[in-house]
Amino acid sequence: MTFFSPEFVLLFLLFFVIYWAAKNFVSMQKLLILFASYAFICANSLYFALVLFGFTCAVFVCGKYLQEHGKLVRLLEQSQKFSKDLANNTKNNTQNNSQSAEIISYKNKFAPTSNLALGVIIGFCVLFLCFFKYYDFFYGVFAGFFEFFGLSLFESVAFPLGVSYYTFMSITYLLAMYRGQCERCDDFISLACFLAFFPSIVMGPISRASDEKGLRALLPQFNEPKNFSCGDEIFTLALFACVKLLVISSLLSPYVNNIFSSVYSSSSSASEILLAILLYGVVLYANFSGFIDMSRALALALGFELAQNFAMPYAARNIREFWQRWHITLTTFITRYIYIPLGGSAKGFTRTQINVLIAFGLSGIWHGAEWNFLIWGLLHGVGLVIFNAYKALALPQLNYYVSLILTYIFVSFAWIFFANDFDNSLVILKGLFAALAAGNFGQQTALVVLLLVGVCLYHKCAGFFDFCVHMLSCMPILLKALVLGLVFSVIIAIMPSGIPSFIYASF
């Protein structure tokens, strides 16, 4: 069941009415969300729901354990500070100094144990994700070893719905519990809703358990009274989602797939292959951000605010800016929990670039245990290292439009390894260079140029979403209904048949 299936639309409308009928009962709304979320997961597979429930129980128990340890660590730190202040302000401070020394000694013994417990529990979450994500890879590596000893393994394990997202979200929850940032929402129902929330479990974004750097946390929202006050924004998000998914992605995807497939028969021209390479990023962005827009619209309809995951990524002038605009919640997570713990940019230029490569390499591997994903991640890492070196050398800044085009072309060619396995990626690149060497330029050169012109003009669309929201807010309700009905009718008329699939679902 997807967000665009007729069954989901009808069930959501029914749920919407029941949910807002319980507006004055926050606890009842939480239970309704929990029921709806697990019903949505069970509609895909009961097995997925059981995996998530078992994981949620384990995270809840671990979170309570870390919460108590965190309280004690903070209490010891406060006692240490108080003892020091008291000793400094007291003339006869021998006894106070002794007490302070005892507190410091106990803290030095206890804190490493707490940090070890935190590391082990987070390690459990990571291993939980790796088991499902990389089981096929490790099975292929170790199957012979187990067969030698007469042991048998499952040939494959089903990849649970949303496991990557709710695993990352659980890590933010465990850290927030340890730091004492979830004291008003540390109950089991809130955690279960947080990890299973149906608008975001399939495609994200990666929500947080506590507020950080301007990002509003999702977890506390389950315990807050709700108001329905964003109708125009909801309709605009749904409209953008339909245009991106049902029109742009659905119409362009077959062309890109056909060109990539025809490379094997050497029948594609250089301009056809290049156009397909440059269009794949458009298809992926329209698909991914379209589903995110619909996710945010559904959440808003229930009174929740999800984090923005895209900010016009193809208006980026360099690879750093691209990752500040693309899959923002994943970028933030990797920066916060991988790049910064490695040392970030605090240990010199060379170490910073090594940390960048490690972070992007792990980002690539997160998408899959295959060479093409590692290469894709490292390509972005190398691109950012080159950009950092360019800035460090204080070389002249490139023209604005040249920067836009170079960034878009670099990202597009990197997408080749994201969209195809290693062997097929090489075939596509060889097909492009072979066509160029043979002078087979084809008839699509003008379309390639037109696409690059569109990239240059894309930044002009900044603010278009807010403009649409404002226009809807200014319309009388009857005119608004007429306009929305007309636009949705046009979308349905020009969209191809079938319900679009989520490209990122396997990640």
Side-chain angles (χ1 to χ4, degrees):
M1 184 187 298
T2 70
F3 291 165
F4 292 88
S5 63
E7 299 88 352
F8 178 85
V9 174
L10 292 175
L11 288 173
F12 180 79
L13 291 175
L14 176 62
F15 175 77
F16 178 84
V17 174
I18 298 172
Y19 176 82
W20 284 110
K23 176 183 176 182
N24 297 324
F25 305 95
V26 174
S27 297
M28 178 62 70
Q29 286 187 320
K30 282 169 60 176
L31 292 174
L32 287 170
I33 288 173
L34 185 60
F35 173 80
S37 297
Y38 270 87
F40 177 75
I41 298 169
C42 287
N44 288 274
S45 171
L46 176 61
Y47 158 75
F48 294 163
L50 292 175
V51 170
L52 174 57
F53 181 76
F55 180 74
T56 303
C57 292
V59 170
F60 178 73
V61 172
C62 292
K64 285 295 184 180
Y65 175 80
L66 291 176
Q67 186 181 43
E68 295 304 317
H69 271 250
K71 284 180 180 178
L72 187 52
V73 169
R74 290 189 297 277
L75 181 61
L76 289 171
E77 289 175 348
Q78 292 171 1
S79 299
Q80 178 184 341
K81 183 178 181 300
F82 177 77
S83 297
K84 284 184 177 180
D85 293 341
L86 186 63
N88 292 332
N89 296 326
T90 305
K91 294 181 180 180
N92 185 14
N93 56 18
T94 303
Q95 182 179 359
N96 293 327
N97 284 335
S98 176
Q99 291 175 348
S100 178
E102 289 178 6
I103 293 172
I104 293 173
S105 175
Y106 184 71
K107 180 197 165 193
N108 290 338
K109 291 178 181 178
F110 183 78
T113 304
S114 297
N115 291 333
L116 177 62
L118 177 63
V120 169
I121 291 172
I122 291 178
F124 157 75
C125 293
V126 174
L127 289 175
F128 172 83
L129 174 61
C130 290
F131 173 79
F132 292 105
K133 207 170 187 67
Y134 307 119
Y135 182 88
D136 291 344
F137 171 78
F138 287 111
Y139 175 82
V141 173
F142 295 107
F145 173 80
F146 282 100
E147 289 177 2
F148 178 79
F149 290 98
L151 301 174
S152 60
L153 295 173
F154 295 110
E155 292 187 5
S156 63
V157 174
F159 189 70
L161 186 74
V163 65
S164 292
Y165 292 112
Y166 65 69
T167 301
F168 285 171
M169 290 164 62
S170 71
I171 291 175
T172 72
Y173 171 80
L174 291 168
L175 288 168
M177 289 289 283
Y178 183 73
R179 295 165 181 166
Q181 299 169 337
C182 291
E183 293 185 359
R184 291 189 299 171
C185 46
D186 59 355
D187 59 289
F188 180 80
I189 299 299
S190 294
L191 173 63
C193 290
F194 174 62
L195 297 183
F197 193 43
F198 72 89
S200 62
I201 189 171
V202 178
M203 68 286 297
I206 302 170
S207 300
R208 308 185 69 84
S210 60
D211 295 327
E212 187 173 337
K213 293 183 179 179
L215 295 175
R216 189 183 180 192
L218 174 62
L219 180 60
Q221 296 182 52
F222 290 102
N223 291 327
E224 297 172 357
K226 310 292 188 303
N227 289 305
F228 186 81
S229 58
C230 302
D232 295 322
E233 187 174 353
I234 293 168
F235 283 123
T236 306
L237 282 168
L239 181 62
F240 273 50
C242 290
V243 170
K244 290 176 181 178
L245 277 163
L246 304 180
V247 179
I248 299 175
S249 179
S250 296
L251 291 178
L252 293 180
S253 183
Y255 174 82
V256 173
N257 293 334
N258 290 337
I259 295 300
F260 281 170
S261 299
S262 65
V263 170
Y264 300 95
S265 61
S266 302
S267 61
S268 299
S269 65
S271 60
E272 285 178 323
I273 299 173
L274 182 58
L275 183 60
I277 291 171
L278 297 178
L279 280 177
Y280 176 78
V282 177
V283 171
L284 180 62
Y285 170 65
N287 184 277
F288 195 0
S289 68
F291 271 106
I292 290 291
D293 286 345
M294 185 57 72
S295 174
R296 294 180 66 205
L298 293 173
L300 269 180
L302 301 177
F304 292 86
E305 181 182 343
L306 295 180
Q308 184 178 3
N309 214 28
F310 294 94
M312 300 183 66
Y314 294 128
R317 294 164 295 175
N318 54 67
I319 198 67
R320 175 188 291 173
E321 188 178 340
F322 173 80
W323 279 101
Q324 292 170 347
R325 294 168 174 266
W326 176 273
H327 208 341
I328 297 170
T329 55
L330 177 63
T331 303
T332 303
F333 186 91
I334 291 175
T335 301
R336 180 69 182 84
Y337 299 110
I338 296 178
Y339 176 70
I340 292 178
L342 285 172
S345 58
K347 297 186 177 181
F349 181 82
T350 302
R351 177 63 183 274
T352 298
Q353 309 321 308
I354 294 174
N355 293 340
V356 166
L357 291 174
I358 293 173
F360 274 102
L362 291 175
S363 172
I365 294 174
W366 172 76
H367 287 85
E370 298 175 14
W371 284 109
N372 57 301
F373 291 118
L374 177 61
I375 292 172
W376 170 77
L378 290 177
L379 281 173
H380 279 273
V382 170
L384 185 52
V385 168
I386 293 173
F387 172 75
N388 291 339
Y390 191 92
K391 284 195 66 178
L393 294 172
L395 296 174
Q397 189 172 358
L398 296 178
N399 175 271
Y400 178 83
Y401 294 103
V402 172
S403 299
L404 284 174
I405 292 174
L406 288 178
T407 302
Y408 183 79
I409 291 175
F410 175 83
V411 170
S412 297
F413 272 83
W415 283 135
I416 296 174
F417 291 93
F418 182 90
N420 306 273
D421 61 32
F422 180 72
D423 292 334
N424 290 339
S425 298
L426 293 182
V427 169
I428 291 170
L429 290 173
K430 288 178 181 177
L432 173 62
F433 293 126
L436 288 172
N440 182 15
F441 298 104
Q443 306 297 318
Q444 279 74 32
T445 304
L447 292 177
V448 172
V449 174
L450 184 62
L451 175 60
L452 294 178
V453 171
V455 171
C456 292
L457 298 177
Y458 177 55
H459 69 280
K460 301 289 186 181
C461 296
F464 182 63
F465 177 85
D466 293 333
F467 171 77
C468 292
V469 174
H470 176 70
M471 289 298 294
L472 281 178
S473 67
C474 294
M475 293 180 185
I477 188 168
L478 291 179
L479 178 60
K480 184 185 302 184
L482 179 63
V483 170
L484 288 172
L486 179 62
V487 173
F488 281 114
S489 297
V490 172
I491 291 173
I492 293 172
I494 63 178
M495 64 175 279
S497 60
I499 299 173
S501 60
F502 182 43
I503 296 176
Y504 243 77
S506 59
F507 303 129

